[in-house]
Amino acid sequence: ETGVTQTPRHLVMGMTNKKSLKCEQHLGHNAMYWYKQSAKKPLELMFVYSLEERVENNSVPSRFSPECPNSSHLFLHLHTLQPEDSALYLCASSPELAGKYNEQFFGPGTRLTVL
Amino acid sequence: AQKVTQAQTEISVVEKEDVTLDCVYETRDTTYYLFWYKQPPSGELVFLIRRNSFDEQNEISGRYSWNFQKSTSSFNFTITASQVVDSAVYFCALSEGDKLSFGAGTTVTVRA
């Protein structure tokens, strides 16, 4: 596997379910990100991890819980979600924290539907 | 305040037409970076180009070209002789420090 992979690609869950999204990067990068992309809205940055430490949490509801066990893996644990949480969730990585000259590499996303 | 503005929500063209996507940004930093990404229907954002604030040279890569105008804070993207495979959502992004801000995206539809 190369680049950034995400599983599952599609997920349908009820509001009382608990599920997890997984992201894995094979690029040797040190920073990883979760974004939410809703229809007709800009990309929303949710969480940023650098060297496995969370460096940014953009006022995301506690029903979303990230986990970064090592620099190659990033999880997003979901529980008691709402229908408005239905969106495409994108994971990205970059060599260091995005800024200067380091572009982010994106995974294909998980299309989440909350019933 | 929105840092990156892509005023065009949707553009529809016929194959072989040229299409220009506008991007206007706002920053107080003197050092910053600008990016364009393409998001095809498959969903994955694909990096197209990076430009730093000190390099105002226009760039051409195949059918793609970029026009960076620091004086007007714009970084426009032109697809020449568009093809159906160019249909996608295109995002402009601004990097300041350790933050990357995306525009809302422009959906380009190229009809055969």
Side-chain angles (χ1 to χ4, degrees), chain A residues 23-89:
Chain A
C23 174
E24 185 172 358
Q25 58 98 358
H26 310 268
L27 301 167
H29 289 169
N30 289 325
M32 296 188 77
Y33 313 78
W34 278 117
Y35 286 88
K36 176 183 178 182
Q37 186 178 28
S38 304
K40 308 296 183 185
K41 287 187 177 181
L43 279 164
E44 300 173 49
L45 178 64
M46 300 175 73
F47 301 104
V48 180
Y49 276 82
S50 176
L51 295 171
E52 300 140 48
E53 284 195 22
R54 191 190 311 180
V55 296
E56 188 156 342
N57 175 351
N58 279 346
S59 303
V60 179
S62 59
R63 57 186 184 270
F64 294 93
S65 174
E67 179 191 1
C68 188
N70 55 63
S71 59
S72 298
H73 293 86
L74 185 64
F75 294 90
L76 187 63
H77 303 300
L78 316 171
H79 63 97
T80 58
L81 294 191
Q82 305 297 312
E84 60 263 29
D85 297 322
S86 298
L88 180 67
Y89 288 84

Side-chain angles (χ1 to χ4, degrees), chain A residues 95-110:
Chain A
E96 303 293 339
L97 279 184
K100 305 303 180 186
Y101 52 87
N102 292 316
E103 69 267 18
Q104 294 181 14
F105 294 76
F106 284 81
T110 295

Side-chain angles (χ1 to χ4, degrees), chain B residues 54-81:
Chain B
F54 297 105
D55 182 2
E56 291 195 64
Q57 233 180 351
N58 290 333
E59 181 155 341
I60 298 175
S61 176
R63 295 183 297 104
Y64 294 169
S65 62
W66 290 269
N67 182 2
F68 178 30
Q69 297 275 347
K70 207 168 177 180
S71 59
T72 55
S73 297
S74 66
F75 186 42
N76 296 338
F77 171 34
T78 297
I79 303 172
T80 303

Side-chain angles (χ1 to χ4, degrees), chain B residues 15-26:
Chain B
E15 223 174 3
K16 297 184 183 177
E17 286 185 1
D18 297 348
V19 56
T20 295
L21 312 181
D22 298 332
C23 173
V24 175
Y25 62 92
E26 180 184 332

Side-chain angles (χ1 to χ4, degrees), chain A residues 9 37 88 90 106-109 111, chain B residues 38-45:
Chain A
R9 294 293 308 276
Q37 186 178 28
L88 180 67
L90 291 161
F106 284 81
R111 174 72 61 188
Chain B
K38 173 183 179 180
Q39 186 179 34
S42 60
E44 182 175 343
L45 270 79

